[in-house]
């Protein structure tokens, strides 16, 4: 599967566009629509980008998240579920998703219980982040 137009729009909304590199809540240098690596190197302070460049980076970045969802999820998904999972994986990373209860429940076809897991992913560096709470509610809405 591939992310849909609606899924991509949600991901762009959730990430937001930033033309200047910034430290995210986890202390990671980020730019554009959540890009943390450019040309294989970590984003650094002082880096800037245009919106078209950020969209290109996002297209490249979501490729790995789509691949992870397609590889790790072993049960049928509706498009909204896939889109929400790509957004989630893009945010938390493949390794976290691989080890998650969300994935385990999903692969047991416990779709409703798996969906409830989104709302538990609201921490960054041990702190509850309101932006993550908001993000998870929107991802869950798309998943459902």
């Amino acid at each position: 599967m591939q992310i849909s137009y609606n899924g991509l729009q949600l991901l762009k909304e959730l990430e937001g566009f930033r033309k200047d590199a910034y430290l995210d809540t986890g202390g990671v240098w980020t730019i554009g629509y959540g890009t943390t690596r450019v040309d294989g190197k970590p984003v650094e302070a002082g880096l800037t980008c245009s919106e078209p460049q950020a969209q290109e980076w996002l297209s490249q970045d979501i490729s790995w998240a789509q691949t992870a969802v397609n590889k790790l999820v072993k049960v049928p998904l509706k498009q909204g579920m896939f889109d929400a999972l790509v957004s989630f994986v893009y945010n938390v990373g493949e390794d976290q998703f691989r080890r998650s209860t969300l994935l385990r429940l999903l692969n047991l076809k416990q779709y409703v219980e798996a969906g409830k897991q989104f709302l538990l992913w609201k921490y960054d560096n041990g702190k509850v982040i309101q932006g993550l709470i908001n993000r998870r509610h929107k991802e869950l809405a798309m998943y459902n």
Side-chain angles (χ1 to χ4, degrees):
M1 292 182 82
Q2 290 188 327
I3 197 166
S4 70
Y5 174 81
N6 289 339
L8 184 58
Q9 292 308 113
L10 176 68
L11 186 53
K12 286 171 70 175
E13 173 194 332
L14 294 172
E15 290 293 336
F17 170 69
R18 302 274 293 267
K19 70 177 185 69
D20 298 311
Y22 65 97
L23 283 173
D24 71 7
T25 58
V28 176
W29 283 102
T30 306
I31 194 166
Y33 291 106
T35 296
T36 58
R37 299 186 71 79
V38 175
D39 298 328
K41 298 179 208 164
V43 169
E44 296 179 346
L47 185 63
T48 63
C49 71
S50 65
E51 190 165 4
Q53 181 64 63
Q55 289 185 54
E56 183 179 321
W57 290 338
L58 178 61
S59 293
Q60 295 166 4
D61 289 347
I62 62 170
S63 174
W64 68 263
Q66 290 181 135
T67 299
V69 173
N70 281 317
K71 175 178 67 175
L72 296 171
V73 175
K74 307 299 184 192
V75 295
L77 296 174
K78 294 178 182 175
Q79 186 67 53
M81 297 168 126
F82 181 82
D83 292 346
L85 290 167
V86 170
S87 174
F88 179 78
V89 171
Y90 184 74
N91 182 244
V92 305
E94 181 177 350
D95 288 340
Q96 293 280 28
F97 182 55
R98 180 184 297 111
R99 295 189 300 263
S100 72
T101 301
L102 191 162
L103 178 62
R104 184 178 59 76
L105 292 170
L106 190 58
N107 282 334
L108 291 171
K109 295 186 178 180
Q110 295 181 19
Y111 293 101
V112 173
E113 292 304 313
K116 292 176 184 176
Q117 292 291 309
F118 278 96
L119 302 181
L120 302 178
W121 290 78
K122 59 187 175 186
Y123 298 92
D124 196 358
N125 286 334
K127 295 181 181 177
V128 174
I129 306 295
Q130 186 61 49
L132 289 177
I133 293 170
N134 299 342
R135 180 186 188 119
R136 299 303 174 233
H137 279 283
K138 288 182 179 185
E139 287 169 341
L140 179 57
M142 180 161 276
Y143 175 88
N144 286 329

